[in-house]
Amino acid sequence: MAAAEGSSQPLTRRAKYNRDQEAGHDKLVADYFADEPVYPAEIFRRRFRMSRQLFLRIAGDMAQSDPFFTLRNDARGQRGFSNLQKCTSAIRQLAYGYAPDALDEYIRMSERTARRCLYKFCQWVVKLYSKRYLRKPNANDVQKLYQAHEQRHGFPGMLGSIDCMH
């Protein structure tokens, strides 16, 4: 990679787009997190695969655990991404298998930043929740899962079946 004339810094090939992160944040808040959001709780649950309350709890835990998940200015003094934008990017990638740049037009985030959000989000989910939620179920947990499945679907068993994991 060539260096810029008169500098030891290599040239970067990434284009810088004026994405207006603040507009992405404002749209996200208006759509899902305002006192009277555009989309109701049912739509939020379907699109995020969790309740708004759970999303906000996870986003808050992330912000308390890592400054990356807080709104900060970048090295140039420009506004960065909000906690809601970073967590939305990661959760949508996980929930739908979105490509990292699939939400660029909506939350105004580059592929590189979206990938970083996903990586850090996954790291912190494991650190924060693995002992309680990501553990192997014990006999009592399995029994509760069997009962819940039978009540919901009308037949016993099927623990771990791909068709019945929803």
Side-chain angles (χ1 to χ4, degrees):
M1 190 177 275
E5 191 174 322
S7 170
S8 63
Q9 297 295 319
L11 291 174
T12 179
R13 295 181 191 264
R14 285 182 285 140
K16 170 69 176 133
Y17 301 107
N18 183 10
R19 286 189 165 85
D20 192 7
Q21 288 100 316
E22 195 165 355
H25 170 79
D26 293 345
K27 176 104 173 100
L28 185 62
V29 169
D31 285 350
Y32 298 106
F33 300 102
D35 291 336
E36 293 184 29
V38 172
Y39 300 106
E42 307 83 56
I43 301 291
F44 185 96
R45 180 177 285 282
R46 190 174 76 222
R47 291 185 179 164
F48 287 80
R49 307 283 174 115
M50 66 181 71
S51 68
R52 184 180 297 121
Q53 180 182 0
L54 178 58
F55 178 94
L56 291 172
R57 181 177 149 221
I58 292 169
D61 290 349
M62 295 290 162
Q64 287 180 344
S65 302
D66 188 342
F68 173 81
F69 287 100
T70 60
L71 176 61
R72 298 172 294 149
N73 290 337
D74 65 15
R76 296 168 298 160
Q78 294 183 351
R79 184 183 191 275
F81 293 99
S82 71
N83 172 275
L84 296 176
Q85 286 170 293
K86 291 173 183 177
C87 290
T88 296
S89 174
I91 288 172
R92 290 281 184 94
Q93 288 178 72
L94 290 169
Y96 293 106
Y98 280 174
D101 67 343
L103 292 169
D104 185 16
E105 294 93 0
Y106 184 62
I107 57 176
R108 313 291 178 111
M109 186 178 289
S110 73
E111 177 181 7
R112 181 178 178 176
T113 304
R115 225 183 235 125
R116 187 161 185 233
C117 290
L118 177 62
Y119 178 77
K120 290 183 100 27
F121 184 87
C122 290
Q123 278 186 316
W124 280 104
V125 163
V126 171
K127 286 179 186 176
L128 294 171
Y129 306 117
S130 64
K131 284 189 168 81
R132 181 167 183 180
Y133 298 108
L134 302 177
R135 62 178 172 75
K136 185 176 180 178
N138 59 33
N140 188 39
D141 294 335
V142 171
Q143 189 59 38
K144 286 180 183 178
L145 289 169
Y146 278 139
Q147 288 172 353
H149 182 272
E150 187 171 2
Q151 287 175 352
R152 183 172 182 177
H153 299 288
F155 57 93
M158 304 302 290
L159 182 64
S161 169
I162 293 174
D163 293 337
C164 298
M165 289 305 289
H166 61 280

